[in-house]
Amino acid sequence: MNNFSYTQAATAKEATGRTKDQPQAAYIAGGTTLLDLMKANLAEPPQLVDINQLAFKGIEQTKDGLRIGAMERMNAVGEHPLVKAQYPAVSESLLLAASPQLRNMASIGGNILQRTRCGYFRDAAFPCNKRVPGSGCPALTGDNHNLAILGVSDTCIANAYPGDLSVALAAFDAVLTLENAKGKQRQVPVTEFYLLPGKTPEKENVLEPGELIVAVTIPTAAHAQRSTYLKVRERASYAYALASAAVGLDVQGGTIRSARVALGGVGAQPWRSREAEKALVGQPATEATFKAAAAAALQGAKPREHNAYKVELAQNTLVRALQQVAGV
């Protein structure tokens, strides 16, 4: 691990000012993601700016929906009565992640920013276009069993987004509030926050240097209240999703009035499937409808040798999640 300086910031202006003066500096809250990257020499910030004293906290109902401060911890949000009652899929996505110890430390903002778990990215002995642009992507022909099949490119398939929370946030139209060094805030939908690898896999999101995630706002909706997050993994706990689905339905008289679908573990970003939603709305809440939606969700998949199983796995995961929500 490289040598670095450590400072605490008392205000957002102080925090963003320090990273503006030192562009390679990094923010640290719970540290559950950053410290992993530093230990593997994948992140070498010369300065750590501790933001735990910033007032980006609170879980409250507003006119725009549920507002969650970016410094709230994962467990606190997952167990909060408002979240469990109004956004079950969000609560479940948090409580199925990591371990209780990590969830008690990890911040919401940090969780949103976690990076791929691709073994080639994490091992500096291998080339990686995400780490060193232009060096190559050994995952294209190597072990790619846990990597993405949606939104990939010929420069990177390692970008399988590893998180759970952002899958649920993408499904339910959540919006991030970002703040820069001048104190100016902007609103970015979660579905527009992450970038596909394309020709620049090293660019993972739209966050500008020095910007902070201040809060997440999730609109109130009937389909959010009737929702679930289903996660399929290689072992029962403390494992990343091979495939997951965040779904919400508003069903009236057996007909689907509105639907939200997002997939995890299979996309180069939290994968909102508007194709699946289109296949659901106006249709009866039946297994046949759900299978048609699952087929639509995976129609653009580009599997490789070892991850082709994810097509069927993701489809089955989505069908099962829809059945759970609809009660059929």
Side-chain angles (χ1 to χ4, degrees):
M1 186 182 291
N2 64 296
N3 292 325
F4 59 88
S5 61
Y6 169 86
T7 58
Q8 287 185 309
T11 65
K13 184 177 181 180
E14 185 179 346
T16 53
R18 285 177 178 171
T19 55
K20 182 180 179 182
D21 295 337
Q22 177 60 269
Q24 300 304 312
Y27 297 124
I28 184 168
T32 58
T33 288
L34 178 60
L35 292 181
D36 277 350
L37 295 172
M38 292 176 67
K39 289 175 184 177
N41 294 316
L42 300 175
E44 298 180 320
Q47 181 182 35
L48 293 183
V49 180
D50 189 326
I51 57 175
N52 282 292
Q53 302 304 311
L54 304 190
F56 299 157
K57 297 181 180 179
I59 303 170
E60 59 180 344
Q61 193 70 51
T62 72
K63 63 180 179 60
D64 297 319
L66 190 70
R67 187 182 188 279
I68 302 169
M71 293 302 299
E72 289 289 341
R73 304 307 181 186
M74 290 173 65
N75 251 357
V77 177
E79 296 285 5
H80 196 278
L82 274 176
V83 180
K84 295 178 80 170
Q86 296 185 28
Y87 309 91
V90 174
S91 172
E92 293 161 8
S93 73
L94 286 163
L95 299 180
L96 286 171
S99 66
Q101 296 90 337
L102 289 173
R103 294 196 301 267
N104 280 328
M105 285 296 296
S107 69
I108 293 298
N111 182 266
I112 290 170
L113 291 171
Q114 64 184 298
R115 305 189 71 186
T116 180
R117 293 286 164 172
C118 172
Y120 296 111
F121 168 75
R122 296 267 168 173
D123 189 341
F126 291 96
C128 173
N129 285 328
K130 184 178 288 295
R131 256 191 295 105
V132 183
S135 62
C137 177
L140 292 171
T141 56
D143 179 9
N144 45 50
H145 83 277
N146 65 344
L147 302 183
I149 58 175
L150 291 166
V152 298
S153 73
D154 57 2
T155 62
C156 179
I157 61 170
N159 222 18
Y161 180 75
D164 299 293
L165 171 62
S166 285
V167 179
L169 295 179
F172 301 116
D173 306 294
V175 175
L176 302 179
T177 300
L178 312 179
E179 183 171 322
N180 65 16
K182 296 181 180 179
K184 185 177 179 180
Q185 294 188 349
R186 62 180 176 130
Q187 311 296 316
V188 178
V190 169
T191 52
E192 298 175 14
F193 180 73
Y194 299 97
L195 300 174
L196 293 177
K199 298 296 182 183
T200 55
E202 72 278 9
K203 297 179 181 179
E204 297 182 351
N205 57 61
V206 301
L207 203 65
E208 296 176 354
E211 267 191 320
L212 280 164
I213 300 176
V214 173
V216 182
T217 301
I218 317 172
T220 302
H223 51 245
Q225 293 179 342
R226 191 173 182 177
S227 65
T228 194
Y229 180 76
L230 182 61
K231 181 178 182 178
V232 179
R233 42 193 167 175
E234 291 178 330
R235 57 178 184 267
S237 65
Y238 196 29
Y240 297 94
L242 294 174
S244 66
V247 304
L249 296 175
D250 179 14
V251 181
Q252 311 240 344
T255 299
I256 301 169
R257 296 278 300 274
S258 65
R260 293 294 184 274
V261 173
L263 300 174
V266 294
Q269 61 187 28
W271 199 261
R272 174 74 175 270
S273 180
R274 300 185 191 277
E275 296 83 2
E277 293 168 5
K278 184 177 179 181
L280 290 166
V281 174
Q283 300 300 314
T286 63
E287 183 177 358
T289 297
F290 300 155
K291 287 184 175 180
L298 275 296
Q299 64 184 0
K302 296 181 179 179
R304 292 276 171 169
E305 180 182 1
H306 304 296
N307 63 5
Y309 73 94
K310 284 197 173 191
V311 175
E312 183 176 2
L313 181 64
Q315 288 175 334
N316 290 341
T317 301
L318 178 52
V319 170
R320 187 169 147 208
L322 289 166
Q323 289 174 322
Q324 287 182 6
V325 173
V328 298

